[in-house]
Amino acid sequence: VERALDILECLAERGAALRATDIAKTLGLHPHTAHNLIRTLYGRHYLAQIPDGRYMLGGHCQRLAASSDRWAWLREISLPFLDALARDTGDGAFLAVADDGQVHCVALAEGTGPIRVPVQQTWANLMHCTAAGKALLAWGPEAQVEHLLARGNLKACTAHTITKAAGLRQELKRTRARGYSLAREESVERIASVGVPVLDAEGKLCCALAQAFPAYCLDSGQLDLNERVVQLQRQAKALGERLGPQLERA
């Protein structure tokens, strides 16, 4: 079962169709084992096969996802704001929520400029070293921070990752004071991200709005951080106002 799930997750993370041999190589499976699992998943419609022989997630996966997508309403409302931010800045924009101690990207808009950084969800357990995660921690309930620290799961992804409880608490304090979160090469080398909270009319956290871009854009002055924060905060404020009535009904 675990290996079958690995195959589904592999295809989901790649976001592209793969040959059986590529799946086996990626997961370190014996080709015969991979082939048997793939054929079973294909037979149950969890995988689909395109004419050139490659496999992709099948219709049954899509139906399961649709039936369990409790953030569909948030995605629908937020996409126009994400699209506007991506269009104005050229960088991809994404919306994240905290769920059971993890950070989940529920909506995203791809960048339109020549420099693009993929924001594919591979960082669910990295609340402590991503801008989206830090924003959710900084403006979320204190119990959420304590839960994360109690689990002792401050994984070191790079040499810049904060891995000590005291360091993370200090970082969240600085984040709240300046009004935005920042992660410079903390989860991925040479990648930086900035995030802001999306608050409702009562100042309660709804979600976080963030963008990622090459770290050298900050170092070279190609990206004005203060200006970018203003753009993020403008869209976050507008989205928060739009979410108000919807949150009351949710």
Side-chain angles (χ1 to χ4, degrees), residues 7-121:
I7 291 173
L8 297 177
E9 291 178 356
C10 174
L11 287 166
E13 290 175 3
R14 288 296 185 91
L18 296 174
R19 297 187 183 279
T21 53
D22 295 327
I23 295 172
K25 184 177 180 180
T26 300
L27 299 176
L29 296 175
H30 189 282
H32 182 69
T33 300
H35 178 77
N36 287 339
L37 290 168
I38 288 170
R39 296 310 298 178
T40 298
L41 291 169
Y42 175 76
R44 295 292 299 272
H45 306 293
Y46 285 95
L47 295 182
Q49 190 173 31
I50 57 180
D52 67 3
R54 291 180 298 161
Y55 292 91
M56 60 187 294
L57 294 181
H60 202 50
C61 283
Q62 306 300 332
R63 287 193 293 274
L64 288 175
S67 66
S68 63
D69 188 3
R70 59 194 176 99
W71 301 113
W73 66 271
L74 180 56
R75 182 179 304 107
E76 180 180 357
I77 293 173
S78 65
L79 276 175
F81 301 91
L82 297 177
D83 287 337
L85 186 59
R87 183 177 60 250
D88 293 343
T89 65
D91 292 317
F94 47 99
L95 196 75
V97 297
D99 187 22
D100 194 28
Q102 295 186 319
V103 53
H104 290 285
C105 175
V106 298
L108 64 89
E110 292 189 359
T112 57
I115 299 175
R116 301 187 185 185
V117 176
V119 292
Q120 202 169 23
Q121 178 76 65

Side-chain angles (χ1 to χ4, degrees), residues 180-202:
Y180 65 90
S181 59
L182 182 65
R184 299 183 67 155
E185 301 188 74
E186 293 181 39
S187 60
V188 180
E189 295 284 357
R190 297 187 295 278
I191 299 297
S193 58
V194 61
V196 298
V198 177
L199 308 176
D200 64 15
E202 297 179 351

Side-chain angles (χ1 to χ4, degrees), residues 129-194:
C129 58
T130 59
K134 287 183 183 181
L136 293 169
L137 288 171
W139 279 274
E142 182 63 26
Q144 182 172 249
V145 177
E146 296 307 316
H147 176 65
L148 176 67
L149 296 177
R151 289 164 55 188
N153 192 27
L154 303 185
K155 176 184 176 182
C157 299
T158 74
H160 304 284
T161 308
I162 298 173
T163 59
K164 302 295 184 182
L168 182 59
R169 286 196 175 96
Q170 189 62 34
E171 171 68 6
L172 297 179
K173 182 178 180 181
R174 287 193 294 266
T175 296
R176 286 189 293 268
R178 68 190 176 203
Y180 65 90
S181 59
L182 182 65
R184 299 183 67 155
E185 301 188 74
E186 293 181 39
S187 60
V188 180
E189 295 284 357
R190 297 187 295 278
I191 299 297
S193 58
V194 61

